[in-house]
Amino acid sequence: MKHKIVEVKNVVRTQVMFENLQTRSMITPGIGLIHGPSGYGKTTTVTHMFNELTLSGHQPLYVRCFATDSPSSFLARVMSELGAEPMFPLRKMVDYIVRSMNEHSLALFVDEADHIVSQAKTMETIRDLYDSTEQPVVLIGMEEIARRISHRKQLFNRISEWVEFQAADLEDVHMFAETLLDERVKVGEDMLDFIRTKSTGEVRRILIALEKIERAAIASEEHYIDLSTWGDRQLFLSHRR
Amino acid sequence: MSNAQLAWNAMKQRECFTVTEIANTANMDVENCRHLVKRLLKKGFIEIKNGIGVQGSPYVYAVKASNDSPTFGRGGHPGREIKQSGRTGHQLIWNALRINLTVTPKLAQAVTNCSLTSIRRYLLALERTGYVRCHRIDNRQAPADKIGQEHCYRLIRSTGPKAPILRIKPAGVYDQNNRQFYAYSEAK
């Protein structure tokens, strides 16, 4: 099994979102939103994009929010990303962050943004950072974040790009099999559809199933696996119960 | 701590200040304090907020909102505190650890395009210096049962955005974020 990023629909949408944020015109706001249920490859895709930006020489700021965060602790986390100690009063931290983001053209990634979306002051602080720097800000959260953020009109209006991570479809599963499996192993269409249905489109479970098929196929020197050749062998953990 | 450092600390604690106030606080000669303030002003650590610099209306200064600090006394040489640029494979692995919190070597390979050998070597070094904790899979399992299972590395000490650098002599890891060296033998 090869280990690389497969450009399925969710990944392509995220890449397009980043490109659009970086090349947007002056009048287009630059806040992006990535959301979706867990298990759909959100974090892996974000890591991939983060590393792409790092390789291009612009390592973004990455802040993970906690349920107990306040504007002060949020700013302190951003300061720590910049290698600086917290400063008080808070406006000094905001000034420092704005200056650093402007000087080094730093984008800001806010992960687990669900935790702070209900805190007006923290969200307004993020909006302030964006308004003062116009550098891309990417909010990442679970599926409910889009609905909750829509109540904050000021921030919601500035979101120009968004990606909702969705369950993998048959085309995606096909692409996973095509790209990641050993050249000696081919998987039938009915088998891929079975994997997609049983995994409910969760990327992690799809990959485990494909790896199982690949190992079994190589061990038994089979080059083509479909539902009939697979038979009643176990494919998903839940089937063992 | 030198008088200059005391004076700098006093400046940082105030919203704004005059030379005389700082000289009194740091118990410093006024003229020496004035030289220090001029030097800091020239280097951009402080700025003039008010006043015209004559008796009765002295300059009022304020420390600029910045985290940079002036160096006092003889300048230290960087020695082993040499930093790396961000575009290294180790930086990408470190990024993956910080974002995912738990990574497997194969996941790290997918998001970094580094070789598995290099990833395993770096993760092992981080484990030996207490940055990550490894959950190893049971090797006694049958190969078929191990599918999808891998050694997992959990980040337990996140010190900042810059990746720790491997050092050969003395053997260990140098952390660019807190400027500390962690030797392998010190790992708990």
Side-chain angles (χ1 to χ4, degrees), chain A residues 2-5 43-48 50-52 54-57 59 62-64 79-89 91-93 95-96 99 111 208 211-212 215-216 240, chain B residues 12 14-15 63-68 86-88 91-101 106-113 116 143-150 159-162 177:
Chain A
K2 295 162 203 155
H3 301 285
K4 54 183 177 183
I5 296 290
T43 311
T44 308
T45 311
V46 168
T47 311
H48 172 63
F50 194 91
N51 279 343
E52 291 283 304
T54 303
L55 282 176
S56 71
Q59 183 171 336
Y62 174 82
V63 181
R64 181 191 306 277
M79 290 293 282
S80 154
E81 279 293 295
L82 291 164
E85 293 292 317
M87 289 189 275
F88 296 96
R91 67 168 172 77
K92 281 191 178 179
M93 283 204 269
D95 288 348
Y96 183 78
R99 210 180 60 196
D111 201 356
I208 290 175
E211 188 167 359
K212 242 180 203 310
R215 286 211 185 193
R240 288 181 185 166
Chain B
K12 282 199 295 184
R14 291 160 188 257
E15 281 279 300
V63 175
K64 280 188 182 175
S66 156
N67 224 269
D68 305 327
R87 296 183 223 182
T88 60
Q91 181 65 54
L92 303 185
I93 301 168
W94 181 249
N95 288 348
L97 264 172
R98 289 179 63 233
I99 297 175
N100 291 273
L101 294 178
K106 286 176 182 173
L107 170 73
Q109 189 187 28
V111 295
T112 61
N113 288 333
L116 268 180
D145 291 335
K146 287 196 282 189
I147 295 170
Q149 294 183 33
E150 272 191 278
T159 49
K162 291 176 185 163
N177 302 297

Side-chain angles (χ1 to χ4, degrees), chain B residues 84-138:
Chain B
Q84 270 181 347
S85 75
R87 296 183 223 182
T88 60
H90 290 175
Q91 181 65 54
L92 303 185
I93 301 168
W94 181 249
N95 288 348
L97 264 172
R98 289 179 63 233
I99 297 175
N100 291 273
L101 294 178
T102 303
V103 300
T104 62
K106 286 176 182 173
L107 170 73
Q109 189 187 28
V111 295
T112 61
N113 288 333
C114 296
S115 73
L116 268 180
T117 318
S118 153
I119 291 167
R120 287 197 178 117
R121 189 186 300 134
Y122 188 60
L123 289 173
L124 184 66
L126 293 183
E127 189 191 0
R128 289 175 68 190
T129 42
Y131 282 92
V132 296
R133 186 187 300 128
C134 182
H135 296 279
R136 291 188 162 77
I137 56 166
D138 188 358

Side-chain angles (χ1 to χ4, degrees), chain A:
Chain A
M1 190 98 166
K2 295 162 203 155
H3 301 285
K4 54 183 177 183
I5 296 290
V6 182
E7 297 197 339
V8 291
K9 293 188 192 73
N10 286 334
V11 176
V12 172
R13 277 199 293 260
T14 314
Q15 283 171 339
V16 170
M17 185 192 102
F18 275 92
E19 265 177 39
N20 290 347
L21 283 179
Q22 285 177 313
T23 57
R24 69 190 195 279
S25 66
M26 290 291 284
I27 53 165
T28 314
I31 298 187
L33 177 68
I34 296 174
H35 64 110
S38 68
Y40 286 1
K42 219 168 46 232
T43 311
T44 308
T45 311
V46 168
T47 311
H48 172 63
M49 296 314 304
F50 194 91
N51 279 343
E52 291 283 304
L53 288 170
T54 303
L55 282 176
S56 71
H58 294 101
Q59 183 171 336
L61 304 172
Y62 174 82
V63 181
R64 181 191 306 277
C65 298
F66 288 78
T68 48
D69 268 347
S70 60
S72 166
S73 63
F74 174 79
L75 288 172
R77 286 185 206 288
V78 184
M79 290 293 282
S80 154
E81 279 293 295
L82 291 164
E85 293 292 317
M87 289 189 275
F88 296 96
L90 294 186
R91 67 168 172 77
K92 281 191 178 179
M93 283 204 269
V94 174
D95 288 348
Y96 183 78
I97 294 165
V98 167
R99 210 180 60 196
S100 302
M101 282 178 75
N102 274 330
E103 272 175 16
H104 306 291
S105 305
L106 297 171
L108 174 64
F109 281 55
V110 184
D111 201 356
E112 308 289 356
D114 314 68
H115 291 313
I116 51 164
V117 78
S118 55
Q119 296 174 20
K121 209 170 172 190
T122 313
M123 293 310 279
E124 291 303 307
T125 306
I126 293 175
R127 184 169 70 87
D128 284 345
L129 291 180
Y130 169 72
D131 284 348
S132 315
T133 62
E134 302 229 320
Q135 295 298 331
V137 173
V138 181
L139 304 173
I140 304 152
M142 302 289 273
E143 61 263 54
E144 277 293 289
I145 192 174
R147 186 185 58 76
R148 291 168 69 193
I149 221 166
S150 66
H151 299 306
R152 309 202 169 281
K153 287 284 173 219
Q154 299 269 30
L155 190 70
F156 193 64
N157 292 341
R158 285 166 172 77
I159 296 175
S160 59
E161 298 288 335
W162 59 92
V163 177
E164 182 179 2
F165 270 63
Q166 285 161 352
D169 59 15
L170 186 58
E171 204 180 325
D172 290 337
V173 182
H174 204 277
M175 204 180 264
F176 279 125
E178 194 92 325
T179 321
L180 300 180
L181 286 181
D182 193 289
E183 288 81 11
R184 290 169 287 174
V185 182
K186 296 279 173 236
V187 182
E189 204 73 17
D190 56 347
M191 189 71 186
L192 293 177
D193 195 35
F194 175 73
I195 293 172
R196 190 196 61 82
T197 316
K198 289 290 175 189
S199 65
T200 59
E202 276 184 45
V203 177
R204 201 174 295 124
R205 297 183 73 200
I206 293 170
L207 297 184
I208 290 175
L210 287 176
E211 188 167 359
K212 242 180 203 310
I213 290 171
E214 186 192 76
R215 286 211 185 193
I218 291 173
S220 57
E221 294 188 351
E222 290 171 284
H223 299 297
Y224 183 79
I225 301 275
D226 59 9
L227 263 184
S228 59
T229 51
W230 186 254
D232 57 353
R233 284 179 274 180
Q234 306 286 353
L235 196 56
F236 290 100
L237 185 63
S238 56
H239 285 199
R240 288 181 185 166
R241 287 175 191 161

